[in-house]
Amino acid sequence: MDREVQQLEESRVGRVFSAFKQFALLRHLHLDWPQWLRFMRKEVAPGRNGMDYEWQKHAQALRPYLPSKVDFVEACKAIYILIDVYGLSVGDFSRGLINGKQYKSKRFGAMDCFALARHGFERRYFDLAEAWFEAIALTSDNDEINRVLGYSWALVLQLYARNLLNMNKKELALTVLQRASTLGIDDQSILRQLELLERGDLKPTQGTRQLKMINFEHYVRGCRGLFDPPKGLSCHYDFHTHPVLRLAPFKVEPLSQDPYIAMYHDVIYDSEIEELKDNAFPDMERSKVYTYSDEDSKNTGRTSMSAFQTDHQYKAVTKVNRRVMHMTGFEVLADGSSDELLVLNYATAAQYLTHSDYFGPAYSEYIQRGDRIATVLFYLNDVEQGGKTVFPRLGIFRSPMKGSAVVFYNMNSSLQGDPRTEHGGCPVLVGTKWAATKWIYSAEQMFRWPCVDPK
């Protein structure tokens, strides 16, 4: 374990840890450590002398550097989200096979599958937990080592049967428990559970949970790329907002006319992207969700890392802000006219569930700043699989494309929030996603965006 921690430190310096690719390692370093220590104390070296005792002290000293329970639970949740949103096969996923492409990653063993099955069982995600219980049968681990680590077929079959009972599959649960006796598993807890189930004294746990949200079905369709492409729209060059654009117009791909949503291609240079990433990375922390009351909080629906970059902090920020003005025709440099540029990083399985960028009239600074009239979302890299931006109500999605940006208006012509602009960032399935967001406020735009009666 000492060697694996050291290798992990050396190989991941300055990089994002992938809970999917290294889930087996994360689980090993979190769950197996206390089991090994208990084994050493009770069965190998119960005395307080010699090298074995020194090893135990060294193992104890490693504890602060190992993954925590929060790390482990979030990794389990991330894997559940990926399988649920993208409709992946648990068996294929455990072997690193994703959407027909084989990736190099450590194959999930019995302990890994059992940990994920137990996670789903304890949180009442019984459907997905069943698939992980079934995946255990496909593994071929060392049973003696697993026994030392607290794993046994008796425990697996017992929890599997309870999971089936909670899914109202009583007959199948009985079959699983009866199978235990044919395998030579002599465990009193199994026999008691079988007796209770046969008498009808064991009742299902009520309240199966689902990994669902508002507009979940449309969100999933968008994340899987199943929306039909926009019709009746054509790409064009845009040179109207500033004279310099006559020489170098923007390449615009409209996605919707009402509300306005468009993809701008080749609007940020590689050198600017690297400068943004290099400067933002050291200050990144878990992204927060901002509300109309001006409070902010960490939220399980938003799992990216991010850092604000103050205006004129360095050249790339200044250039990007000026480019946003040219792309939208809006004022973004005056005090209160926009938020600072936010650089984001989404690791594997990180997402931002469907939400609206506008706050509404209850926003604490509504009188001074107005509301978020427009959003500009830059893509700073290509994403191998996943990470799409989706508008579920409009049936629109876009995959990240390095150097491009999505521009959309959050408010209508009467400066009211448009619920159709509700959008989300799909979970990253393979790789990582870098982006930068600029939110623009309405008060400074009164002469650029006059309030018009929609009638």
Side-chain angles (χ1 to χ4, degrees):
M1 295 178 77
D2 192 12
R3 182 176 66 252
E4 290 189 352
V5 170
Q6 184 177 352
Q7 289 175 351
L8 183 65
E9 290 285 343
E10 291 173 354
S11 66
R12 304 304 297 180
V13 170
R15 297 167 64 190
V16 178
F17 181 85
S18 170
F20 154 57
K21 286 188 176 180
Q22 290 158 307
F23 174 79
L25 174 60
L26 187 149
R27 184 209 57 76
H28 173 62
L29 294 177
H30 172 64
L31 292 181
D32 295 352
W33 172 86
Q35 300 290 353
W36 278 120
L37 200 56
R38 189 178 298 113
F39 175 72
M40 290 294 293
R41 284 172 176 168
K42 289 185 176 180
E43 301 189 34
V44 178
R48 286 182 167 270
N49 50 56
M51 289 294 294
D52 291 319
Y53 179 61
E54 291 301 317
W55 182 90
Q56 291 175 37
K57 288 202 303 182
H58 177 64
Q60 188 77 35
L62 276 177
R63 188 173 189 176
Y65 304 97
L66 301 180
S68 67
K69 182 177 180 179
V70 172
D71 296 326
F72 173 70
V73 170
E74 292 225 339
C76 291
K77 285 165 57 178
I79 288 174
Y80 266 69
I81 287 170
L82 289 178
I83 290 172
D84 196 42
V85 170
Y86 294 107
L88 304 175
S89 159
V90 165
D92 289 345
F93 188 90
S94 66
R95 299 193 301 272
L97 182 63
I98 301 178
N99 289 331
K101 185 172 182 179
Q102 183 67 54
Y103 291 91
K104 290 182 179 179
S105 59
K106 186 175 180 180
R107 189 189 189 103
F108 286 7
M111 295 287 288
D112 306 315
C113 294
F114 179 58
L116 287 161
R118 192 167 194 167
H119 172 85
F121 171 78
E122 291 173 350
R123 286 155 183 79
R124 304 200 306 277
Y125 300 133
F126 301 129
D127 291 345
L128 286 178
E130 180 185 18
W132 282 110
F133 277 116
E134 292 172 351
I136 295 172
L138 302 176
T139 62
S140 56
D141 286 1
N142 185 316
D143 290 337
E144 181 61 19
I145 291 179
N146 289 343
R147 183 190 65 78
V148 171
L149 298 178
Y151 171 93
S152 71
W153 269 108
L155 179 59
V156 171
L157 294 175
Q158 194 173 352
L159 287 181
Y160 184 25
R162 286 300 301 265
N163 193 83
L164 291 169
L165 180 64
N166 292 336
M167 297 172 68
N168 295 313
K169 297 180 178 180
K170 181 178 177 180
E171 294 303 319
L172 192 53
L174 278 168
T175 302
V176 168
L177 292 177
Q178 289 164 353
R179 179 187 169 212
S181 60
T182 65
L183 294 173
I185 297 174
D186 186 17
D187 189 284
Q188 291 300 315
S189 61
I190 290 278
L191 297 176
R192 280 198 304 272
Q193 185 169 330
L194 179 59
E195 183 181 347
L196 290 171
L197 194 56
E198 288 175 336
R199 291 206 314 254
D201 293 340
L202 208 56
K203 304 297 181 184
T205 301
Q206 299 299 318
T208 301
R209 293 172 65 189
Q210 300 290 330
L211 297 169
K212 300 291 186 265
M213 67 197 87
I214 298 174
N215 289 327
F216 181 78
E217 291 184 7
H218 293 291
Y219 173 77
V220 165
R221 280 178 54 80
C223 289
R224 297 180 187 181
L226 300 179
F227 289 151
D228 295 330
K231 296 179 180 179
L233 301 173
S234 57
C235 298
H236 61 271
Y237 289 104
D238 184 5
F239 50 82
H240 296 92
T241 56
H242 195 277
V244 73
L245 297 181
R246 292 280 180 178
L247 300 175
F250 289 119
K251 294 179 282 187
V252 183
E253 178 187 354
L255 304 176
S256 170
Q257 292 280 23
D258 180 27
Y260 179 75
I261 305 173
M263 187 90 154
Y264 284 65
H265 294 272
D266 302 323
V267 288
I268 183 168
Y269 297 104
D270 287 353
S271 58
E272 295 167 344
I273 289 173
E274 293 308 312
E275 190 174 355
L276 289 175
K277 290 162 63 175
D278 290 344
N279 281 276
F281 189 83
D283 300 322
M284 282 194 160
E285 58 183 23
R286 177 73 174 265
S287 296
K288 298 176 181 179
V289 174
Y290 297 85
T291 65
Y292 60 80
S293 62
D294 209 27
E295 297 176 350
D296 57 89
S297 63
K298 294 177 182 177
N299 187 293
T300 55
R302 190 179 195 188
T303 51
S304 61
M305 303 288 286
S306 61
F308 280 104
Q309 307 299 288
T310 57
D311 295 341
H312 310 297
Q313 184 174 342
Y314 46 91
K315 288 183 178 180
V317 177
T318 302
K319 291 178 180 179
V320 169
N321 284 336
R322 187 185 306 124
R323 203 161 299 133
V324 168
M325 290 182 65
H326 294 168
M327 292 164 66
T328 62
F330 289 140
E331 173 60 57
V332 301
L333 298 178
D335 188 34
S337 62
S338 69
D339 286 326
E340 294 173 342
L341 187 70
L342 181 67
V343 178
L344 304 114
N345 176 253
Y346 293 79
T348 304
Q351 63 176 337
Y352 194 177
L353 298 182
T354 50
H355 62 282
S356 297
D357 282 353
Y358 61 86
F359 298 127
Y363 174 45
S364 60
E365 296 185 42
Y366 189 80
I367 300 300
Q368 298 94 328
R369 303 184 72 186
D371 208 338
R372 287 175 174 172
I373 191 172
T375 299
V376 181
L377 173 63
F378 292 92
Y379 296 119
L380 307 184
N381 73 320
D382 298 314
V383 180
E384 188 170 346
Q385 290 197 52
K388 295 179 178 66
T389 302
V390 298
F391 295 81
R393 294 173 184 255
L394 298 168
I396 293 172
F397 75 89
R398 255 304 170 264
S399 297
M401 186 180 298
K402 185 178 181 180
S404 62
V406 172
V407 177
F408 55 95
Y409 296 161
N410 301 300
M411 308 177 75
N412 60 25
S413 58
S414 58
L415 294 182
Q416 297 172 329
D418 192 334
R420 295 174 298 171
T421 61
E422 182 184 71
H423 58 285
C426 298
V428 176
L429 186 50
V430 178
T432 184
K433 172 183 172 183
W434 284 89
T437 300
K438 188 74 172 177
W439 290 297
I440 305 170
Y441 287 80
S442 58
E444 283 291 336
Q445 322 305 333
M446 64 173 65
F447 298 115
R448 300 167 183 259
W449 181 277
C451 185
V452 178
D453 187 330
K455 297 181 181 178

